[in-house]
Amino acid sequence: MTTTFTGTRAGRGTTRRRRPYRNAVPVLAQVAVWAGAAGVLVLWWSDTTSVVGAAGWLTGAGRITGLLAGYACAVLLALMARVPLLDHTVGTDRLARWHAWGGRCTVSLALAHTLLIIWGYSLTSHANVVGQTATLVLRYPDLLKGTAGFLLFLATGVISARAARRRLSYETWHYLHFATYLAVFLTFGHQLSNGADFVGNTSAQAAWYALFLGVAALLAWYRFAVPLRRGLRHRLRVAAVHPEAPGVVSVHLTGERLDELGGLPGQFLRWRFLTRGLWWTANPYSLSAPAHPNHVRITVKAAGGHSAALARLAPGTRVWAEGPYGGFTAHRRTSPKVLLLAGGVGITPLRTLFETLPGQVTLVYRARRPDDLALRGELDAIAAHRRATVHYVIDEPAACSSPLTARGLTALVPDLAAHDVYLCGPPGMARAAIQALREAGVPARRIHHESFAF
């Protein structure tokens, strides 16, 4: 099923050059994180005169892992503070992967710190491990709170494991993560009151306070103050809800100065619908049409309790929008030729890019059945307007299907290796598409992916 309009419209052939800072920020961010970790090691080194015996080595290793775990907590919170500079350049998906990897490291470091300190102290005091643990927890200042924080970290690590995460709704998983804030608060005092590198070292204490207060300021501003200010400024309300395909609806919203939300084609916002059962969570949904001063639209598939409830929204429902987020925008583009590869409701961010990206753009939209092709009328109209190509690939009936392989994609887009590819779809489809694109010769740097996984 293909809709073809040959050629491209005049004036659309210019390739947007990537801003140099957008390439530099991810590298600089990683350099800053590792430089901070090196600074933590320098703090330990400058405060350590000698390490003697097994007890000394174990205790020293416990101090190092404890310092690094504390520093990693600040980094984890900063990565998820939704700072626009990081979010729009590094990208939400990539930040989430950094956060997940950092979370595993943090839990491992905290666990190693706990075990090494108990073991080292028990050797020093010639006590058994159980007795030494009780002494540390009950008699050392702030260590009872620190233990509670450590257990919260372990619990967060368990629910973040892939096997556990599959069994949780997005909303439950998201709110359980707020325990991380409490865990950091509980462990912070223990670090300063018991950490040998901080006791009596006012410079180290001041640096630690500055680090955590700076991160707290970022969280307070970008996670709470900015959404509150935008909610009051834009006065978003539900105007209408229209079905687009089985289980897929478009939610039309009106408000004031909505073009100032700043959302670029391809980005998403976190939407909080102030109605019963939905007000307590803000879920991410992409804009499915370019924003206008008084109107925006999202298109959502019923994939859970929250998304299914949007079909029943009443006109007039108040809405708060947080964002925009993500780097899935025209700024990633490096070639004058672009392939947009959508699977299912992954068409929503690609529909806005299809309308706005300059140059030669081809859209491949995969779905199970013809009825599942949401927004098809709009896509055909955009293709006709800019004289572009749309390939509709469906699984049923089999005669219309095209395999998601290098050969199948090359049959649809003969010069595929010369394209930038914007990919959005369910995780299984995305993994297969990335493998097929790489086999077809598309460089990894030209594959831009937006994930549905949380």
Side-chain angles (χ1 to χ4, degrees):
M1 302 170 66
T2 302
T3 303
T4 306
F5 301 90
T6 57
T8 56
R9 289 186 64 82
R12 289 184 177 263
T14 303
T15 301
R16 184 190 297 269
R17 297 185 63 184
R18 300 184 72 180
R19 299 178 187 178
Y21 82 88
R22 290 183 173 272
N23 295 323
V25 169
V27 176
L28 292 176
Q30 294 180 72
V31 169
V33 169
W34 289 111
V40 167
L41 294 177
V42 169
L43 173 62
W44 172 83
W45 180 265
S46 64
D47 196 52
T48 302
T49 54
S50 61
V51 180
V52 179
W57 282 103
L58 289 170
T59 303
R63 286 171 55 194
I64 291 173
T65 52
L67 285 169
L68 289 173
Y71 170 72
C73 287
V75 173
L76 284 180
L77 295 179
L79 289 176
M80 289 291 103
R82 299 176 186 168
V83 179
L85 177 63
L86 287 177
D87 198 88
H88 297 170
T89 54
V90 178
T92 303
D93 280 2
R94 194 174 179 188
L95 284 174
R97 289 194 295 271
W98 289 2
H99 178 80
W101 181 83
R104 291 190 288 270
C105 290
T106 303
V107 172
S108 300
L109 287 168
L111 183 61
H113 163 69
T114 302
L115 298 177
L116 289 168
I117 286 294
I118 292 173
W119 192 3
Y121 277 36
S122 65
L123 290 179
T124 300
S125 61
H126 304 287
N128 63 66
V129 171
V130 176
Q132 186 62 56
T133 301
T135 299
L136 288 171
V137 172
L138 299 176
R139 296 186 182 180
Y140 278 62
D142 293 318
L143 202 51
L144 188 58
K145 292 190 296 184
T147 302
F150 167 67
L151 294 176
L152 279 176
F153 273 123
L154 286 183
T156 305
V158 169
I159 67 170
S160 297
R162 185 170 298 177
R165 200 166 63 232
R166 290 196 189 104
R167 294 174 169 81
L168 297 174
S169 68
Y170 171 82
E171 296 83 6
T172 302
W173 173 85
H174 176 73
Y175 275 94
L176 286 175
H177 262 62
F178 278 113
T180 305
Y181 296 142
L182 178 59
V184 172
F185 174 78
L186 290 172
T187 56
F188 181 78
H190 146 67
Q191 296 172 60
L192 296 181
S193 58
N194 294 304
D197 302 285
F198 294 107
V199 175
N201 189 339
T202 55
S203 297
Q205 292 179 16
W208 216 242
Y209 270 112
L211 173 64
F212 279 86
L213 288 175
V215 171
L218 291 176
L219 287 167
W221 179 251
Y222 289 112
R223 297 290 298 262
F224 300 100
V226 170
L228 177 61
R229 183 186 66 175
R230 288 187 170 180
L232 297 173
R233 176 177 176 80
H234 297 297
R235 301 182 179 277
L236 277 160
R237 290 184 182 273
V238 173
V241 179
H242 292 152
E244 301 287 358
V248 179
V249 298
S250 283
V251 181
H252 298 259
L253 305 112
T254 59
E256 300 175 4
R257 299 182 290 270
L258 298 186
D259 53 333
E260 296 177 11
L261 277 173
L264 296 175
Q267 289 187 314
F268 68 92
L269 293 91
R270 297 179 187 273
W271 304 89
R272 187 182 302 274
F273 297 90
L274 304 184
T275 188
R276 185 177 179 180
L278 298 178
W279 64 268
W280 57 280
T281 185
N283 278 30
Y285 301 117
S286 299
L287 295 174
S288 60
H292 294 279
N294 299 309
H295 176 264
V296 293
R297 186 186 72 182
I298 58 175
T299 301
V300 180
K301 181 178 181 179
H306 187 280
S307 53
L310 299 192
R312 301 186 296 273
L313 283 172
T317 300
R318 289 289 304 271
V319 184
W320 283 11
E322 305 172 21
Y325 301 117
F328 195 63
T329 67
H331 295 299
R332 291 190 176 185
R333 176 185 185 161
T334 61
S335 170
K337 297 180 179 180
V338 175
L339 168 63
L340 306 177
L341 181 54
V345 79
I347 190 61
T348 53
L350 297 184
R351 181 256 181 252
T352 59
L353 290 170
F354 189 42
E355 180 177 347
T356 58
L357 273 176
Q360 180 181 329
V361 181
T362 301
L363 172 64
V364 175
Y365 183 8
R366 303 182 65 90
R368 180 167 296 180
R369 299 178 300 270
D371 290 346
D372 294 327
L373 295 169
L375 308 174
R376 181 173 181 178
E378 295 181 22
L379 298 173
D380 288 340
I382 293 169
H385 176 69
R386 60 182 303 165
R387 299 199 276 280
T389 301
V390 182
H391 297 284
Y392 298 106
V393 181
I394 58 175
D395 296 331
E396 302 170 6
C400 297
S401 182
S402 175
L404 190 53
T405 61
R407 179 177 295 180
L409 289 174
T410 303
L412 296 174
V413 188
D415 55 344
L416 179 58
H419 286 65
D420 269 288
V421 180
Y422 286 76
L423 166 65
C424 188
M429 173 264 183
R431 287 192 295 270
I434 291 172
Q435 180 179 350
L437 291 166
R438 297 292 290 118
E439 291 175 358
V442 181
R445 67 181 184 278
R446 287 188 176 178
I447 301 174
H448 316 301
H449 175 220
E450 181 84 340
S451 174
F452 282 136
F454 65 86

